[in-house]
Amino acid sequence: MRKTEGIHMNDLMNLLKERRTYRRFCQKPISEEILAEILTAARYASSAANKQPLSYVVVKTPQKVQEVFAETKWAAYLPKEQGQPKAGEEPVLFIGVVQNLKINPNCDTDAGLAISNMTLAAWNHGVGSCIIGACNRQKLSELFGLTEDQKLHTVVAFGYPSHISRIENVEKDGDIRYHLDVDGNYVVPKRNLEDVVTCI
């Protein structure tokens, strides 16, 4: 087994495999130490030309979390009564990913890398996440106090999940929609490696 900087490669692959989207959470707070690690992981992310145009809004007080939650939509593939977290299932933390338009107005790749780092760092401590693009950006931008030079890219929800989310191979019909199994856990179809890789 190859080992690099103290990390076993099979541990890394398991972390990547198990860091899925989670949409129902236990109401357990996330420690300041873990939050600091999540934000530091975002800071460590690569950035085009090292411009570092991203900043982050941390929402952790229960009242503000509820205000942000009210402006988000969840699990578009599922009926609302199945996909939307119910009372007592909401995330306990949101992080808004903000672009500085003066530094770089086109930083989707930067944002993707930072979000990936954040969610992986969180899952390393058993904290699940949901990356949310379906939100009321205007209202959230006002809530976050953003200026005209700032643009809300994404909000990411965090919390300790109260369900399981697992990968399965896409069936022959090619349906890639996630769904719930009989126990209410998420099943996420992934295309097979041979279907997405071309060697030349």
Side-chain angles (χ1 to χ4, degrees):
M1 186 190 324
R2 187 161 68 93
K3 188 176 180 183
T4 303
E5 296 295 324
I7 298 175
H8 288 283
M9 288 300 104
N10 64 341
D11 292 340
L12 174 60
M13 293 306 292
N14 282 333
L15 183 69
L16 293 169
K17 182 179 179 181
E18 295 171 4
R19 191 233 53 84
R20 312 269 31 100
T21 296
Y22 295 90
R23 296 183 178 89
R24 301 191 304 274
F25 304 96
C26 304
Q27 299 305 290
K28 174 185 174 182
I30 297 168
S31 71
E32 291 296 321
E33 291 77 14
I34 293 175
L35 174 58
E37 203 167 297
I38 291 169
L39 295 167
T40 300
R43 175 176 168 263
Y44 286 166
S46 299
S47 175
N50 202 32
K51 290 184 176 181
Q52 303 170 71
L54 301 176
S55 59
Y56 306 92
V57 177
V58 177
V59 184
K60 59 183 180 177
T61 62
Q63 179 184 342
K64 292 297 184 184
V65 167
Q66 283 299 319
E67 289 180 35
V68 173
F69 178 73
E71 304 300 335
T72 58
K73 294 180 181 179
W74 297 64
Y77 284 147
L78 298 176
K80 186 175 181 180
E81 65 273 13
Q82 292 181 1
Q84 192 79 8
K86 297 178 176 61
E89 297 178 338
E90 303 97 331
V92 297
L93 171 75
F94 282 100
I95 296 178
V97 179
V98 178
Q99 302 170 240
N100 186 319
L101 301 177
K102 282 189 172 180
I103 296 176
N104 186 355
N106 303 304
C107 55
D108 283 346
T109 300
D110 280 28
L113 290 166
I115 292 166
S116 181
N117 276 18
M118 285 196 293
T119 57
L120 284 166
W123 187 239
N124 194 44
H125 293 282
V127 175
S129 58
C130 183
I131 303 163
I132 302 172
C135 59
N136 188 330
R137 284 182 172 78
Q138 181 176 345
K139 286 191 177 180
L140 291 177
S141 296
E142 293 170 2
L143 179 63
F144 295 165
L146 302 188
T147 69
E148 62 181 12
D149 295 324
Q150 294 177 303
K151 179 181 177 182
L152 179 62
H153 185 280
T154 312
V155 289
V156 186
F158 294 91
Y160 291 94
S162 59
H163 68 90
I164 296 168
S165 185
R166 71 177 191 278
I167 290 174
E168 68 176 21
N169 291 336
V170 168
E171 298 293 335
K172 290 182 179 179
D173 62 7
D175 190 353
I176 50 80
R177 292 175 294 179
Y178 53 79
H179 56 274
L180 302 182
D181 65 15
V182 294
D183 297 315
N185 293 314
Y186 276 81
V187 180
V188 184
K190 287 289 184 181
R191 291 188 173 93
N192 297 303
L193 201 59
E194 58 269 24
D195 296 329
V196 297
V197 174
T198 301
C199 295
I200 59 172

